[in-house]
Amino acid sequence: MAVETYTPLISEVMQKVSNAKTKKEKIELLQKYSSQALRSILIWNYDDSVVSMIPEGEVPYNPNEAPIGTEHTTLNSEYVRLYNFVKGGNNEIKQIERENMFIRMLEGLHQDEAALLCLVKDKDLQK
């Protein structure tokens, strides 16, 4: 049996889940690719007690067009900084600094993951 050595981007996992035909398949995929990063994204999006500190709407950033697996960061490594963008996560930083941090994160991520994170901040992942 072949061992899977490639860790898919969170955006790739979410696309697989979206393409799954049954609820059972969706659950199996979420369990297979379960990670703290994936759970953090889902909690931010679906937990009503988590309030985004990033304004709703389009974010003015330049998407990172580097191919998957090259010059970009991933949500699997960047999720540890997501607390900066939700209410109660980091109250020590000014709002403008928070927004600039978010834009820098988006510009470092692969463009698919950046787009996913923009949906999550507005709790629109189901789109």
Side-chain angles (χ1 to χ4, degrees):
M1 181 173 196
V3 176
E4 193 172 314
T5 57
Y6 172 71
T7 302
L9 299 175
I10 299 297
S11 58
E12 292 175 308
V13 171
M14 295 308 295
Q15 188 61 55
K16 287 180 182 189
V17 170
S18 177
N19 292 342
K21 302 217 184 294
T22 66
K23 185 175 182 178
K24 182 182 179 199
E25 288 176 317
K26 291 175 189 289
I27 291 169
E28 288 172 356
L29 285 167
L30 288 170
Q31 289 173 337
K32 177 180 180 180
Y33 295 108
S34 179
S35 68
Q36 188 59 46
L38 178 60
R39 287 190 295 275
S40 296
I41 291 297
L42 293 174
I43 289 169
W44 187 358
N45 190 80
Y46 293 109
D47 186 339
D48 290 334
S49 68
V50 178
V51 178
S52 180
M53 295 297 291
I54 304 297
E56 282 193 43
E58 193 171 327
V59 180
Y61 74 99
N62 298 314
N64 184 338
E65 296 179 2
I68 291 177
T70 59
E71 298 175 21
H72 58 78
T73 58
T74 66
L75 281 172
N76 282 315
S77 62
E78 293 291 321
Y79 81 92
V80 295
R81 298 187 320 145
L82 295 179
Y83 75 95
N84 289 299
F85 311 121
V86 296
K87 188 173 187 174
N90 185 351
N91 296 329
E92 302 299 315
I93 60 175
K94 294 179 180 161
Q95 184 63 20
I96 190 74
E97 184 180 345
R98 182 185 328 275
E99 291 174 21
N100 284 333
M101 284 173 57
F102 189 72
I103 289 170
R104 284 192 305 272
M105 180 183 281
L106 292 177
E107 290 179 345
L109 291 169
H110 182 272
Q111 60 187 349
D112 293 346
E113 288 201 317
L116 177 95
L117 194 54
C118 286
L119 290 174
V120 168
K121 78 159 177 75
D122 291 339
K123 296 193 179 276
D124 283 337
L125 190 56
Q126 56 281 3
K127 289 184 180 177

